[in-house]
Amino acid sequence: MKQGKSYSKFIMLSTHSSPVLLVLCTGNVCRSPMAEALFARRMDELKLDAVVMSRGLAAPVGRRPHPHAVAVAQAKGIPLNEGKRAAAVTSADMAMATVVFVMDAGHRREVQQRFPTATGKTFLLGQWSSQEIADPINEPLSAFELAWDQCDSGAKEWLRRLHEAGMLRVVA
């Protein structure tokens, strides 16, 4: 049953004409779910057409987002998707992605090793502010708040640049 769901989702995304933005972190329970929610909200505000999804490079598959990630998102008024569960990145995800965003140089190296064909479309989310976004897991709420703000800045700047480059279009 799970394979059918994954396959159906793959078919749905692979036949979608919109660009696919893939956000990666280590476990897909802190940074990437927050960034996914932020990208989705900012695209909605700007009326940009794209699909965003998040995955983990070493995800504890099926785990809910970290309680601090949920709390920060709720406090900021951009709640995480209720059904969000950690998912591991696959070759199919990487093939579908138009652009891949990672949180740090270690993630970028791992993508280069595991998915060499995605190297040219993989970028740091914090590239435009010359920053890596540290993993807040096992840290206090304030670390999640910082990661949220960094993800938001990165999402806004990337959306602006992708739109200016003609990679994202406004929907009517």
Side-chain angles (χ1 to χ4, degrees):
M1 195 73 125
K2 277 188 178 180
Q3 272 186 317
K5 279 187 166 183
S6 297
Y7 183 72
S8 296
K9 187 173 184 179
F10 173 73
I11 293 298
M12 180 188 77
L13 287 172
S14 67
T15 59
H16 200 279
S17 62
S18 300
V20 176
L21 310 181
L22 175 60
V23 187
L24 299 177
C25 71
T26 304
N28 195 217
V29 295
C30 299
R31 296 167 289 177
S32 60
M34 293 191 300
E36 178 182 15
L38 284 159
F39 267 110
R41 173 62 66 91
R42 302 306 176 216
M43 287 186 305
D44 187 52
E45 291 169 353
L46 298 168
K47 302 200 180 334
L48 295 174
D49 179 38
V51 173
V52 61
M53 59 186 193
S54 67
R55 300 286 188 266
L57 290 161
V61 175
R63 185 172 294 169
R64 293 177 184 271
H66 191 285
H68 287 339
V70 173
V72 169
Q74 194 68 35
K76 299 285 188 172
I78 305 176
L80 303 183
N81 181 324
E82 289 279 328
K84 179 65 184 169
R85 298 295 180 271
V89 67
T90 65
S91 295
D93 294 330
M94 296 302 276
M96 278 190 284
T98 308
V99 183
V100 179
F101 298 109
V102 295
M103 302 296 161
D104 59 44
H107 292 153
R108 191 159 185 202
R109 281 189 300 276
E110 187 169 344
V111 167
Q112 289 169 340
Q113 291 170 354
R114 289 175 54 190
F115 308 101
T117 59
T119 298
K121 61 182 178 181
T122 302
F123 304 93
L124 288 174
L125 181 56
Q127 176 174 321
W128 305 112
S129 55
S130 300
Q131 65 184 3
E132 294 187 354
I133 302 171
D135 194 347
I137 202 154
N138 300 321
E139 297 295 331
L141 184 65
S142 59
F144 284 79
E145 292 168 334
L146 175 60
W148 176 275
D149 291 341
Q150 292 172 323
C151 287
D152 196 21
S153 294
K156 287 176 181 175
E157 187 60 23
W158 272 109
L159 289 173
R160 183 183 73 76
R161 289 174 182 262
L162 291 171
H163 177 63
E164 285 178 0
M167 293 181 70
L168 297 178
R169 64 181 190 269
V170 176
V171 290

